[in-house]
Amino acid sequence: MKSLHFLPIIFLLINQFSFSQVRKVIELDSNWKFQKTQTEQAYQINFDDSKWENVTVPHDWAIKGPFDKEIDKQTVAIVQNGEEVASEKTGRTGSLPHIGTAWYRNKFKIPNYLKDKKIILLFEGAMSEPQIYVNGKKVGEWAYGYSYFYFDVSEFITDGENTLAVKLTNKAFASRWYPGAGLYRKVSIIVKNKESINQWGTFITTPFISDTEAKVNIKTKTSGQNIHLVTTIFDAEGNPLETNKTTEQFGDEFEQNLKVENPKLWSPESPYLYSAKTKLFVGDELKDEISTKFGIRGIKYEAATGFSLNGKVTKFKGVCLHHDLGPLGAAVNKAALKRQLTILKDMGCNAVRSSHNMPSLEQLELCDEMGFLFLAESFDEWKKPKVENGYHRFFDEYAEKDIVNLVHATRNHPSIVMWSSGNEVPDQWGAEGVKRAKWLQDIFHREDPTRPVTVGMDQVEAVMESGFGALLDIPGLNYRVHLYEEAFEKFPQGFILGSETASTVSSRGIYKFPVVQEKMKQYDDFQSSSYDLEACSWSNVPDEDFVLQDDKPWVIGEFVWTGFDYLGEPTPYDEMWPSRSSYFGISDLAGLPKDRFYLYRSRWNTKDETLHILPHWNWEGREGEITPVFVYTNYKSAELFVNGKSMGIQKKNNATPQNRYRLMWMDVKYEPGTLKVVAFNENGKPVAEKEIKTAGEPYKIVLNPDKKTLKADGKDLSYIEVSVVDKNGNFCPTATNQLKFKVKGAGTYKVACNGDATSLEQFHLPTMKLFSGKLVVTVESTTKVGEIQLEVTGKGLKKGELNLNSIEY
């Protein structure tokens, strides 16, 4: 097969400041009035909103709950799960009150000296079906809650105070997971001259890269007459490298070529970012100016060898992520996103798939900065429905517009190395689906000829026969590991991507006996075993994917379902209330790693030592019973001891996929005391050890923050892991104490989460039970500089206290 070559990409990040008074970006984050209401008059200028709630944006109006099974109860057969008979389901969309109509209102002023400017109103996401009004007049509407969109509102703006009103409607049965509700991403006003650079009008590539130089091509779409551009490239330290001036236009587009000598290439290991400053002039008068950060990198997809980054074959060690941030809901927060990516980085993850929607711009900025490859996805539905009120209602009118906005808004991010036009769409069946797949892929190619396109395909046998899978740039298989070989033989591309893998289910710190592999296993407590041997009917445990990734060079990587638990889709407990969030995550809803985290880390993180023992060793009542012990480690052999007595040495081998990637002692009998593992290097010498002990009664609360210093911007977060230990400092893995939280000083209590998919405690209330001995409290900064004090108390426990600092930013 012919290799697929795609030009290296640069990414755009318009700084949120005024540039020489020629462009001003105003983020509308404060002074919002909000009400969940059916009223039709709230668009009017003089509408009385004095009794409405004061909120800041981004905002998710449903996340505070309460949880209620009636909200998303439905009788349905979940086709994606292979069900043929309808049954009552609850918790599919998180059982949070996200259904209904709500309004947001904001009043803002545009200074007199800016009244003759071009004014853009930009929404980075509005859930859902937004209708936008300025000063009592409708300026436009959109349909897709995940799409970025904007309107030129210059003609609607008046001197003095302006009124912005936004109507949002979330219909029942419009999503397969918790979609969130409200203005959950940024809203901005961009004020600029009529002669200016268009919104998302810059497209930067590097069509040539060598060790000594890189050609930087910048295409810029503009508005205005008799204009010229001057662009200067800077290195990461701010030193100017080269300047280019051009007056040559092709229609409304300028094209500039600049050279970077001895370029430092962008990669997950070294995410180096340059910047370019572009100035637009009319004569000698500066009319517009933007600053653009960019990374230089080359990508290539080839038969047999797969994906190469900067000439080096690279496997996708990726995870799928839904857009919700657990207890924060859908409201985007950069500190929360950074914490997620920091956890994934430690695991050795190098890639993220936005599932199954358009990613936030903040997430992409962080992936650029921190070094993650990105698969940007667009839709979960095309023309054929999965849910009654899904995207199929808008497909004909909006699909092209939504793809254009996705590509234009994000195509300059070096992290993005692939687009996805859909996930498990029912259109995989039939000739019409083949035509739609080609139509959508052609739109992506037209707007961005530098990246390939995939679809997450679960109907693999159908797409092998219809030609659907053959026409895609990248054939993406969701699960179906037993069909990889056949698909590789039939598809012409010469490689396969695991676009969605595993769907292993587990509950942090919960272990079930006997220890055997199971599909769709259910228990009376509605939890799943953390021995990591339970999966869904359509999926598999991680080791089966590992074999394919390691043994087949034509398998170019995987995106595991999922990096973190998310709200909704509580498989295998869709029919069991009160399950209301997923069990798929490698880390739980609170961001706490499950045992499975260390299984992936032992394989993906090739720099750091991994040595992890499971299960815990508090099994009162199981004395003398077989309690298997697993060790997840990057070492190939280890010896296990129970109270000093050797249980023997285990070595990784190829007897089964599990034996290849795990060390397992299946016949250990439980006795209280100390469980110890000693790991050996390639020469059989002991090089690392770890032990866990049977804990006594909970005695003391321990607080462990992810960071102690916050920015005083009213948005920064510190995540504090809360656990309890006995008098000897041993972690109590079965503790379920009810705790209370109090925050004083220059911060506020935000939310708490314990990772229990069956918990109905509301995240925003300052009390919660421990789950498997742990939970996470989130503290938010205010705009004040100073000390923040957190106090955590529980009946009969020595309290935990922590001091944080909030500093100027």
Side-chain angles (χ1 to χ4, degrees):
M1 175 193 165
K2 183 181 178 181
S3 299
L4 295 175
H5 296 266
F6 295 92
L7 298 178
I9 296 302
I10 319 299
F11 93 83
L12 172 67
L13 178 62
I14 300 174
N15 293 326
Q16 306 297 296
F17 299 97
S18 172
F19 296 107
S20 306
Q21 300 302 314
V22 295
R23 171 184 285 250
K24 189 172 183 65
V25 180
I26 306 164
E27 183 182 342
L28 293 180
D29 54 357
S30 59
N31 302 316
W32 285 94
K33 290 285 191 174
F34 164 78
Q35 183 71 43
K36 189 175 179 182
T37 175
Q38 292 286 347
T39 183
E40 293 298 323
Q41 287 73 47
Y43 70 92
Q44 297 172 352
I45 295 175
N46 296 321
F47 181 84
D48 183 8
D49 59 15
S50 60
K51 295 183 179 179
W52 285 17
E53 183 181 357
N54 295 306
V55 300
T56 57
V57 168
H59 178 247
D60 181 348
W61 54 256
I63 189 59
K64 290 186 177 181
F67 297 101
D68 185 348
K69 69 179 292 186
E70 299 299 321
I71 289 169
D72 52 15
K73 186 170 72 174
Q74 53 188 287
T75 300
V76 65
I78 303 176
V79 176
Q80 287 73 34
N81 294 8
E83 297 178 359
E84 296 181 358
V85 179
S87 60
E88 182 179 287
K89 305 293 196 299
T90 55
R92 290 197 72 198
T93 54
S95 297
L96 289 162
H98 70 280
I99 298 166
T101 298
W103 284 85
Y104 290 82
R105 287 170 55 84
N106 199 321
K107 295 184 183 296
F108 61 92
K109 291 184 178 180
I110 299 295
N112 240 358
Y113 69 90
L114 297 176
K115 67 179 181 180
D116 293 326
K117 304 287 187 178
K118 180 181 289 188
I119 301 173
I120 302 295
L121 182 58
L122 171 65
F123 293 83
E124 296 181 15
M127 193 65 67
S128 177
E129 302 182 42
Q131 297 182 39
I132 315 301
Y133 300 83
V134 173
N135 293 326
K137 297 178 181 178
K138 188 173 183 179
V139 301
E141 63 185 16
W142 212 260
Y144 194 29
Y146 293 108
S147 190
Y148 334 103
F149 62 95
Y150 65 92
F151 300 109
D152 185 337
V153 295
S154 306
E155 64 181 281
F156 298 92
I157 298 297
T158 62
D159 294 344
E161 189 173 71
N162 293 273
T163 300
L164 170 62
V166 182
K167 179 185 179 183
L168 298 171
T169 303
N170 273 6
K171 288 183 169 61
F173 315 131
S175 180
R176 297 191 298 118
W177 55 85
Y178 176 67
L183 295 176
Y184 70 104
R185 291 178 180 167
K186 284 184 182 178
V187 180
S188 301
I189 294 174
I190 302 166
V191 183
K192 57 184 181 176
N193 288 308
K194 291 180 170 39
E195 305 91 346
S196 58
I197 298 167
N198 292 0
Q199 181 66 24
W200 308 327
T202 302
F203 186 23
I204 311 180
T205 61
T206 51
F208 175 81
I209 301 173
S210 72
D211 292 339
T212 58
E213 62 185 8
K215 179 181 178 181
V216 179
N217 177 267
I218 306 177
K219 294 182 175 68
T220 308
K221 290 193 174 182
T222 61
S223 301
Q225 301 295 319
N226 302 316
I227 58 181
H228 67 270
L229 293 185
V230 177
T231 297
T232 303
I233 290 178
F234 299 85
D235 64 17
E237 289 72 41
N239 301 308
L241 302 180
E242 181 163 324
T243 297
N244 174 276
K245 177 181 177 181
T246 181
T247 59
E248 191 170 357
Q249 251 180 303
F250 302 91
D252 63 349
E253 185 175 82
F254 286 91
E255 183 169 356
Q256 295 172 282
N257 289 295
L258 297 92
K259 182 170 67 173
V260 174
E261 295 184 346
N262 303 314
K264 296 181 180 179
L265 304 187
W266 184 96
S267 69
E269 298 75 25
S270 180
Y272 191 90
L273 297 172
Y274 294 89
S275 63
K277 184 177 289 185
T278 300
K279 298 181 179 181
L280 183 149
F281 291 87
V282 174
D284 295 329
E285 186 179 359
L286 179 65
K287 289 291 188 177
D288 199 9
E289 181 177 346
I290 61 170
S291 183
T292 305
K293 289 185 179 179
F294 66 90
I296 302 171
R297 57 101 177 111
I299 62 174
K300 184 167 62 174
Y301 296 80
E302 296 178 284
T305 56
F307 171 69
S308 295
L309 176 68
N310 301 327
K312 179 182 177 182
V313 174
T314 302
K315 291 265 191 176
F316 293 105
K317 299 184 290 186
V319 300
C320 301
L321 292 179
H322 265 309
H323 70 302
D324 80 63
L325 293 168
L328 296 179
V332 70
N333 180 282
K334 198 165 186 177
L337 289 166
K338 186 172 183 178
R339 178 198 180 225
Q340 279 193 341
L341 294 174
T342 300
I343 292 168
L344 293 175
K345 200 77 172 179
D346 177 62
M347 188 173 70
C349 173
N350 71 358
V352 172
R353 173 192 181 209
S354 62
S355 312
H356 305 290
N357 47 262
M358 300 169 181
S360 70
L361 301 184
E362 290 87 347
Q363 185 180 43
L364 292 175
E365 289 165 9
L366 285 167
C367 286
D368 290 338
E369 295 166 7
M370 297 175 68
F372 285 88
L373 305 167
F374 206 93
L375 196 173
E377 197 154 78
S378 50
F379 309 122
D380 189 51
E381 271 188 12
W382 292 351
K383 184 68 172 177
K384 292 185 178 180
K386 290 183 183 179
V387 290
E388 181 181 334
N389 289 312
Y391 186 76
H392 67 274
R393 295 180 294 140
F394 313 120
F395 182 82
D396 286 340
E397 181 182 356
Y398 276 93
E400 182 171 5
K401 292 190 288 187
D402 283 328
I403 288 176
V404 168
N405 281 8
L406 166 64
V407 174
H408 286 192
T410 68
R411 62 187 171 184
N412 297 302
H413 289 271
S415 54
I416 297 179
V417 294
M418 195 187 314
W419 304 111
S420 170
S421 62
N423 170 70
E424 297 183 1
V425 293
D427 313 63
Q428 289 168 91
W429 296 92
E432 287 302 314
V434 177
K435 294 175 183 177
R436 288 183 194 120
K438 185 178 188 307
W439 177 66
L440 293 169
Q441 181 166 274
D442 286 347
I443 297 171
F444 275 108
H445 287 170
R446 183 192 72 205
E447 301 301 324
D448 173 22
T450 72
R451 295 182 182 87
V453 180
T454 190
V455 171
M457 300 179 292
D458 62 333
Q459 302 300 320
V460 180
E461 291 172 318
V463 299
M464 284 193 294
E465 298 304 320
S466 68
F468 187 111
L471 71 85
L472 298 172
D473 297 326
I474 308 292
L477 269 57
N478 285 10
Y479 317 107
R480 312 301 190 264
V481 290
H482 63 289
L483 294 174
Y484 269 49
E485 292 276 4
E486 184 180 354
F488 173 62
E489 291 298 322
K490 288 190 174 181
F491 290 151
Q493 295 90 341
F495 49 80
I496 298 289
L497 170 69
S499 46
E500 194 168 310
T501 64
S503 271
T504 304
V505 291
S506 63
S507 303
R508 178 182 54 78
I510 302 295
Y511 307 91
K512 302 296 185 180
F513 305 96
V515 179
V516 292
Q517 285 202 53
E518 298 274 6
K519 291 288 184 74
M520 302 300 284
K521 180 67 175 177
Q522 297 174 337
Y523 301 94
D524 291 341
D525 60 359
F526 304 163
Q527 304 293 349
S528 295
S529 178
S530 201
Y531 275 105
D532 302 321
L533 291 173
E534 295 175 7
C536 300
S537 58
W538 66 87
S539 62
N540 52 272
V541 294
D543 321 70
E544 294 177 47
D545 288 301
F546 294 168
V547 171
L548 288 166
Q549 300 296 326
D550 287 344
D551 293 354
K552 308 297 183 183
W554 44 266
V555 178
I556 67 174
E558 66 173 318
F559 290 88
V560 181
W561 193 262
T562 53
F564 295 83
D565 280 337
Y566 56 92
L567 294 162
E569 289 195 310
T571 311
Y573 294 106
D574 304 273
E575 301 173 16
M576 280 95 169
W577 182 255
S579 295
R580 47 74 176 148
S581 61
S582 78
Y583 299 77
F584 301 117
I586 296 172
S587 293
D588 70 16
L589 198 70
L592 294 169
K594 302 179 185 179
D595 292 291
R596 200 161 8 117
F597 174 93
Y598 300 97
L599 179 59
Y600 282 97
R601 189 180 192 273
S602 69
R603 182 171 171 272
W604 283 357
N605 185 335
T606 57
K607 294 182 179 180
D608 302 312
E609 176 183 281
T610 298
L611 188 59
H612 176 76
I613 308 172
L614 64 133
H616 62 70
W617 212 236
N618 272 58
W619 294 106
E620 185 177 356
R622 285 190 61 83
E623 289 80 4
E625 294 188 40
I626 291 178
T627 306
V629 174
F630 289 6
V631 170
Y632 297 157
T633 181
N634 55 328
Y635 298 109
K636 291 187 176 181
S637 64
E639 186 172 9
L640 182 71
F641 299 87
V642 177
N643 293 328
K645 181 181 178 181
S646 176
M647 298 292 107
I649 295 174
Q650 290 289 338
K651 298 181 180 180
K652 293 178 183 177
N653 59 71
N654 292 334
T656 69
Q658 283 70 49
N659 290 106
R660 185 170 172 179
Y661 298 101
R662 317 179 192 204
L663 299 176
M664 302 182 291
W665 290 260
M666 299 303 295
D667 298 322
V668 177
K669 292 182 178 179
Y670 173 68
E671 59 181 68
T674 301
L675 194 63
K676 178 180 177 179
V677 65
V678 177
F680 304 106
N681 66 12
E682 297 284 350
N683 299 318
K685 293 184 178 181
V687 289
E689 64 179 57
K690 189 170 186 178
E691 63 180 28
I692 56 176
K693 295 183 178 182
T694 305
E697 293 297 312
Y699 170 72
K700 176 184 175 183
I701 297 170
V702 176
L703 307 181
N704 182 30
D706 70 331
K707 60 184 180 186
K708 290 187 176 181
T709 302
L710 288 77
K711 295 179 291 185
D713 60 0
K715 301 174 184 178
D716 203 4
L717 303 173
S718 177
Y719 285 83
I720 299 95
E721 179 182 312
V722 181
S723 58
V724 293
V725 297
D726 66 10
K727 287 187 177 181
N728 296 318
N730 298 309
F731 169 61
C732 299
T734 61
T736 58
N737 305 68
Q738 188 79 41
L739 304 182
K740 295 182 179 179
F741 323 115
K742 186 181 294 184
V743 178
K744 296 180 180 179
T748 59
Y749 168 79
K750 184 70 173 179
V751 291
C753 184
N754 60 15
D756 180 2
T758 70
S759 172
L760 300 182
E761 293 186 275
Q762 293 168 263
F763 304 125
H764 70 289
L765 299 179
T767 180
M768 186 165 285
K769 281 186 178 181
L770 293 165
F771 177 65
S772 295
K774 294 184 179 182
L775 56 77
V776 173
V777 170
T778 306
V779 172
E780 185 173 52
S781 67
T782 64
T783 55
K784 295 181 180 179
V785 172
E787 193 173 80
I788 304 169
Q789 300 90 34
L790 169 65
E791 179 183 270
V792 181
T793 57
K795 187 175 181 181
L797 297 172
K798 187 175 180 181
K799 68 181 179 182
E801 295 179 292
L802 176 69
N803 289 332
L804 306 170
N805 289 309
S806 182
I807 62 173
E808 289 185 7
Y809 69 101

